[in-house]
Amino acid sequence: MRFVLIFLLFIASLAAFSIDVKNDEVVRGATAFVEFSTQRGIKYLGVVCKKKKFPIFKKPEDGRHYFALIPFSYYAPVGIKKCRVEYLNAGVKKERNFTLNVLDGNYKKEKIVVSAKKVNPKSPKVKKRIAVEYKEAMKIYNSITKKSYISRPFILPLESNITSPFGVARLYNSTLKGYHSGTDFHAAMGTPVKAANDGKVVLVKKRFYAGGTVVIDHGEGIYTCYFHLSHFKVKKGERVKRGELIALSGKSGRVTGPHLHFSARICGVQVDPLQLETLLNTNLLKGKQ
Ligand SMILES: [Zn+2]
């Protein structure tokens, strides 16, 4: 009996933790969810994909699993991407590889006509303003709050038609100026905009391109952003609950008409906000109300 027990313990010590990639086929601009099982003596350090390191956090509901969100930029090369999980095994640093298959998003192309001065601002003052605003926002998106504010599924910031999905290649006055970095919702001026989930308001500002902007930190590197707002209902530093009124929609910034632009960031990378919401609701926040 004792021998069997020792043998089983021996086998258990050899057994590796499991790596469960929930969506191993992920389009450019989307996020992958990778789960790791708890294993005695293992301390997870992070996931490295193409030199960028992503944190691993404990799944709150069961305490038996860990997870990592791997965001893929819109410009990520298509194909098999090798990633590795780095961990300590009884204090010794080790790593294990796994792969993700990055697919083309087959995003549509869209032509947009706006005032030339909004596309290519010439004024040094405006250029400086844009640079300062970009730097400020990137500093926020790249900071990873260790704790999580969320415990319930994400919701949409408003119930409305989608007028332009994430990822559409954008031609401003026939010049390719990147892609649509969020999801646009039809919203008449002054439509109430709600927080997609619990979090901390980290930016409330009128910006050149985004217009009236609110950014919410949901913790663990997850951010949602709300652009072109006409009126703010929250202040920087405030804690908000899911569904709470944060602003009124508008048409401020670089826009052709009133709507809500809703976007998301994972560890600094701009990702499809609706794919992210579904991914988190399915794999992290399932069964919660
Ligand atoms: Zn938009």
Side-chain angles (χ1 to χ4, degrees):
M1 188 61 196
R2 184 181 287 178
F3 174 76
V4 170
L5 196 64
I6 289 168
F7 180 72
L8 284 175
L9 281 171
F10 175 69
I11 291 293
S13 71
L14 285 182
F17 56 88
S18 65
I19 302 174
D20 184 6
V21 183
K22 297 293 182 183
N23 51 332
D24 54 359
E25 291 200 329
V26 55
V27 303
R28 297 177 306 146
T31 309
F33 191 101
V34 188
E35 207 171 275
F36 308 94
S37 62
T38 304
Q39 185 80 22
R40 190 188 288 263
I42 300 283
K43 187 178 185 293
Y44 294 111
L45 300 173
V47 170
V48 179
C49 288
K50 218 178 175 198
K51 290 180 187 160
K52 194 163 174 178
K53 195 165 182 173
F54 301 98
I56 294 179
F57 296 106
K58 201 167 201 170
K59 281 185 90 179
E61 81 278 20
D62 59 5
R64 290 184 288 111
H65 293 93
Y66 289 78
F67 75 99
L69 291 170
I70 317 293
F72 285 96
S73 116
Y74 186 81
Y75 301 110
V78 168
I80 301 292
K81 175 105 49 175
K82 274 188 197 160
C83 300
R84 64 175 190 270
V85 52
E86 296 183 341
Y87 59 97
L88 293 176
N89 188 352
V92 181
K93 193 176 172 188
K94 296 194 168 184
E95 56 186 57
R96 250 176 78 188
N97 296 329
F98 63 95
T99 57
L100 293 167
N101 190 7
V102 182
L103 307 176
D104 191 340
N106 293 314
Y107 297 113
K108 288 200 178 95
K109 286 190 171 68
E110 186 175 78
K111 278 187 183 178
I112 289 178
V113 178
V114 291
S115 135
K117 82 168 193 274
K118 285 245 168 183
V119 176
N120 291 312
K122 293 274 191 293
S123 136
K125 206 178 145 194
V126 173
K127 279 186 178 172
K128 185 161 185 238
R129 179 185 165 187
I130 292 165
V132 167
E133 287 173 356
Y134 178 77
K135 210 175 155 194
E136 180 187 33
M138 287 315 293
K139 196 181 169 196
I140 291 170
Y141 301 145
N142 282 314
S143 33
I144 298 167
T145 302
K146 291 263 163 63
K147 68 169 181 172
S148 176
Y149 292 110
I150 55 174
S151 56
R152 301 174 293 166
F154 277 81
I155 60 166
L156 296 177
L158 50 80
E159 293 296 332
S160 178
N161 298 332
I162 290 168
T163 50
S164 177
F166 171 89
V168 178
R170 290 205 148 167
L171 305 157
Y172 284 98
N173 301 347
S174 297
T175 310
L176 183 65
K177 280 276 177 180
Y179 64 98
H180 188 218
S181 58
T183 303
D184 284 354
F185 289 91
H186 174 82
M189 285 294 294
T191 305
V193 176
K194 295 176 282 185
N197 214 330
D198 298 3
K200 188 178 172 186
V201 177
V202 285
L203 186 68
V204 178
K205 197 170 191 171
K206 286 181 182 164
R207 300 159 77 215
F208 182 78
Y209 285 122
T213 301
V214 170
V215 175
I216 300 176
D217 176 7
H218 300 290
E220 299 181 342
I222 305 168
Y223 292 86
T224 55
C225 319
Y226 313 76
F227 292 174
H228 312 310
L229 306 167
S230 62
H231 198 83
F232 301 128
K233 296 286 188 185
V234 285
K235 288 188 179 72
K236 189 180 168 182
E238 220 174 283
R239 287 283 295 269
V240 286
K241 289 278 167 204
R242 181 186 74 175
E244 198 175 315
L245 177 68
I246 55 167
L248 300 180
S249 71
K251 55 170 185 170
S252 53
R254 184 172 69 175
V255 287
T256 50
H259 70 274
L260 173 73
H261 173 101
F262 175 55
S263 60
R265 294 264 178 175
I266 296 294
C267 300
V269 181
Q270 190 125 51
V271 292
D272 180 343
L274 302 194
Q275 186 266 344
L276 177 71
E277 287 204 353
T278 305
L279 187 78
L280 292 173
N281 290 355
T282 308
N283 297 296
L284 187 67
L285 306 157
K286 202 176 181 179
K288 308 284 171 62
Q289 288 303 309

